Amino acid sequence: MELLDNVLHGFSVAFQWENLAWSLFGVFMGNLIGVLPGMGVLAAISILLPLTYAMTPTAALMMLAGIYYGAQYGGGITCILLNLPGTPSHAVTCLDGNPLARQGKSGSALFMLVMSSFIGACAGILIMILFSPLLVEVAFQFGPAEYFSMMMLGLFAGATLAKGSAVKGVAMVFLGLLCGVVGTDVNTGVIRYAFGIIELSDGVQLVALAMGLFGLADFFANVNRIGKATTVDAGKRMSVRPEPGDMRKSAAPIARGSAIGSILGILPGTGATIASFMSYAIEKRVSKTPQRFGNGAIEGVAGPEAANNSAAQTSFIPTMSLGIPGDSVMALMLGALIIHGIQPGPQMVTEHADIFWGLIASFWIGNALLVVMNLPLIGMWAKLLKVPYKYLFPSALFFVCVGVYSTNNALFDVGMVLVIGVLGYLFLKLRFSPAPLLLGFVLGPMVEENFRRALLLSRGDLGIFVDRPISAGFIYAIFALAAWLVYSTMRNRRKLRQLMQEQPQ
């Protein structure tokens, strides 16, 4: 009963006119920023942070939070329509969202994007309300060994993201790992693999990598479509509503994605990007028809979108309950609280009940507003595919350049996108999937850092990875997945040989 009273109190705070207006502003800005390729949520929050000086703490946090989870909605729209991930966490949505658009099912994909995002966000909010103390205890059980083992499992599962050869998937994961270690070593301060280029001392930019591998590479592959529609032939009818059976197919992926995102969101350093990749890998693994993934499977949109939105909500748990930001965006949220003289921690729920419960209530209000804003626009977004490529290509390229440049105000990053785009085009021609490379890039630095920390704690004893129960569980899961991959490969080869033998000579 006390919990219900707290939630109702939160809604009374969130529905105050000033707080509601700033929440609506944040949600609108976040959605807009997500739609514009490369315009990252981090840059937007950094620009608007000084605006919070003249606001109440509750209104300030509600606005910044609205920008954060609003971008999670908007970022998927350009993924589906143009193969351009608005944010890195949406890169995996390109794998099936864009093929659906090419098949004239853009409306169905956009509808599922909005609905799975809303359901995933609601699941994250519920878990945040009901299980925050328990989830904080779980997060405390994760040390360097557990993080290393979990991320190694993610890397291994990443090889299954690729269409076709698993060997090519593993190769792309390793290439991503190599790209991830470019820059300054966090332990020694030594610049590695920069080849004397001082701009690479901070490493390869994630936004540049995502834009180049998915967006620019796709532009190069379709540049000869001058005068034609973007991805759909002019005579093809485009659906603006879900296909029959889409909701039934997506129910289980949405549930699994919400659970994965809710768990990974509380672990500092993981967040929405890793949650969406893990969800996609699991959906492909449990599917009875994995060959559909990468060719327009609606489950490949529903699961990852539910995962990244639920992770966006639960990532507030360690920030507000422990004062530990999980990523750079949460660090800015923490900064906004400290600016207003509020110290996050276990006592925040009791000492600043208005802020804590008002923020949680605003999550529901903001996500409902996003659904109301995006559902009527599905038809309009779908019609964007009818714009001739000669007009849409330079427009999208302009926004990519502006977005990437705004990250560090450096023209070098724009050139980096161009180089990565050319490489991405070559990967497409050679049938190498870019998704495992991006996953290797995201996880690589964290795998290395936690491996070195674990060995420092154990004085060089590798047994730490199997002595700790949670870490050992992840290690055993890696071996089980490896055994399954070997078994499935041998089974497929045996079936192929049988088919060849049954064919008449």
Side-chain angles (χ1 to χ4, degrees):
M1 195 64 185
E2 182 183 355
L3 183 63
L4 180 60
D5 290 339
N6 288 331
V7 173
L8 291 174
H9 174 65
F11 275 103
S12 69
V13 172
F15 275 118
Q16 291 175 13
W17 174 244
E18 181 186 4
N19 295 338
L20 188 62
W22 283 115
S23 180
L24 178 60
F25 173 74
V27 161
F28 175 78
M29 289 299 297
N31 200 45
L32 178 64
I33 289 159
V35 170
L36 296 175
M39 300 294 287
V41 63
L42 184 62
I45 291 178
S46 301
I47 293 168
L48 293 175
L49 190 60
L51 190 65
T52 64
Y53 294 164
M55 297 162 60
T56 64
T58 306
L61 210 59
M62 286 173 63
M63 182 193 75
L64 297 178
I67 295 172
Y68 180 51
Y69 58 77
Q72 303 301 321
Y73 277 74
I77 294 172
T78 48
C79 271
I80 292 169
L81 299 179
L82 301 176
N83 206 34
L84 272 173
T87 61
S89 61
H90 289 99
V92 74
T93 308
C94 292
L95 298 180
D96 283 286
N98 192 247
L100 282 168
R102 294 176 187 276
Q103 296 164 20
K105 301 176 182 177
S106 55
S108 178
L110 288 168
F111 178 86
M112 194 53 61
L113 165 81
V114 174
M115 296 311 299
S116 58
S117 296
F118 178 71
I119 295 170
C122 287
I125 298 165
L126 279 173
I127 289 172
M128 187 176 178
I129 292 172
L130 298 173
F131 303 111
S132 287
L134 177 61
L135 292 176
V136 168
E137 290 297 322
V138 171
F140 270 132
Q141 301 301 316
F142 274 72
E146 285 77 15
Y147 276 114
F148 169 78
S149 302
M150 181 183 69
M151 290 175 184
M152 282 301 295
L153 176 61
L155 285 174
F156 206 85
T160 68
L161 294 175
K163 287 191 292 184
S165 170
V167 175
K168 288 184 176 180
V170 172
M172 293 298 276
V173 168
F174 274 106
L175 184 58
L177 288 171
L178 290 175
C179 293
V181 298
V182 173
T184 304
D185 180 12
V186 294
N187 290 328
T188 64
V190 175
I191 297 176
R192 305 178 297 180
Y193 310 113
F195 303 102
I197 303 172
I198 194 64
E199 288 86 356
L200 287 177
S201 60
D202 289 331
V204 179
Q205 297 301 317
L206 178 59
V207 173
L209 191 69
M211 291 290 114
L213 282 178
F214 289 92
L216 224 59
D218 192 63
F219 285 156
F220 290 146
N222 293 280
V223 74
N224 61 341
R225 298 175 61 89
I226 300 299
K228 300 180 181 179
T230 340
T231 55
V232 184
D233 292 336
K236 184 175 285 189
R237 180 180 174 273
M238 290 185 296
S239 108
V240 293
R241 62 183 65 185
E243 298 282 317
D246 277 356
M247 292 301 295
R248 177 181 52 80
K249 292 178 187 175
S250 302
I254 288 173
R256 284 189 289 264
S258 299
I260 293 165
S262 298
I263 294 168
L264 292 181
I266 65 165
L267 301 176
T270 53
T273 302
I274 296 173
S276 61
F277 275 94
M278 290 289 284
S279 172
Y280 189 89
I282 288 173
E283 291 311 317
K284 187 175 181 181
R285 182 54 52 197
V286 302
S287 174
K288 294 179 180 178
T289 54
Q291 65 275 9
R292 291 171 48 247
F293 283 76
N295 297 307
I298 196 69
E299 303 96 308
V301 174
E305 286 302 316
N308 74 48
N309 280 274
S310 58
Q313 307 299 326
T314 56
S315 60
F316 283 86
I317 293 175
T319 304
M320 299 184 70
S321 300
L322 301 174
I324 301 174
D327 55 25
S328 50
V329 175
M330 287 296 111
L332 283 177
M333 298 284 185
L334 189 65
L337 286 172
I338 294 172
I339 286 170
H340 289 276
I342 298 167
Q343 184 60 48
Q347 301 302 316
M348 185 174 175
V349 180
T350 54
E351 293 179 359
H352 302 283
D354 284 1
I355 296 175
F356 183 83
W357 292 108
L359 180 64
I360 287 178
S362 78
F363 290 162
W364 257 314
I365 296 168
N367 280 284
L369 285 171
L370 284 164
V371 173
V372 172
M373 286 168 55
N374 283 289
L375 280 180
L377 296 175
I378 287 176
M380 187 194 76
W381 291 124
K383 288 179 182 176
L384 185 65
L385 294 176
K386 294 295 186 182
V387 176
Y389 209 79
K390 61 182 178 181
Y391 301 126
L392 199 59
F393 169 71
S395 304
L397 193 60
F398 169 77
F399 283 116
V400 167
C401 292
V402 170
V404 172
Y405 177 81
S406 67
T407 306
N408 291 316
N409 296 327
L411 282 173
F412 178 82
D413 291 345
V414 179
M416 189 189 302
V417 173
L418 178 61
V419 172
I420 294 171
V422 173
L423 291 174
Y425 172 70
L426 294 176
F427 290 145
L428 287 177
K429 288 298 181 183
L430 296 172
R431 299 185 183 277
F432 282 85
S433 175
L437 188 154
L438 191 65
L439 181 64
F441 177 82
V442 171
L443 291 182
M446 290 185 281
V447 166
E448 179 195 16
E449 185 178 346
N450 284 290
F451 179 73
R452 291 164 76 172
R453 284 180 179 174
L455 290 183
L456 282 172
L457 290 172
S458 66
R459 299 180 182 274
D461 183 10
L462 290 171
I464 189 174
F465 298 109
V466 292
D467 291 340
R468 298 172 67 92
I470 297 177
S471 176
F474 287 126
I475 296 293
Y476 295 146
I478 291 171
F479 282 110
L481 182 57
W484 172 256
L485 283 174
V486 172
Y487 168 74
S488 60
T489 302
M490 293 175 64
R491 183 184 60 182
N492 291 337
R493 287 181 178 177
R494 188 163 57 247
K495 286 182 179 179
L496 184 61
R497 282 199 299 268
Q498 289 175 353
L499 287 172
M500 292 177 66
Q501 290 171 0
E502 291 172 1
Q503 287 179 353
Q505 297 295 328

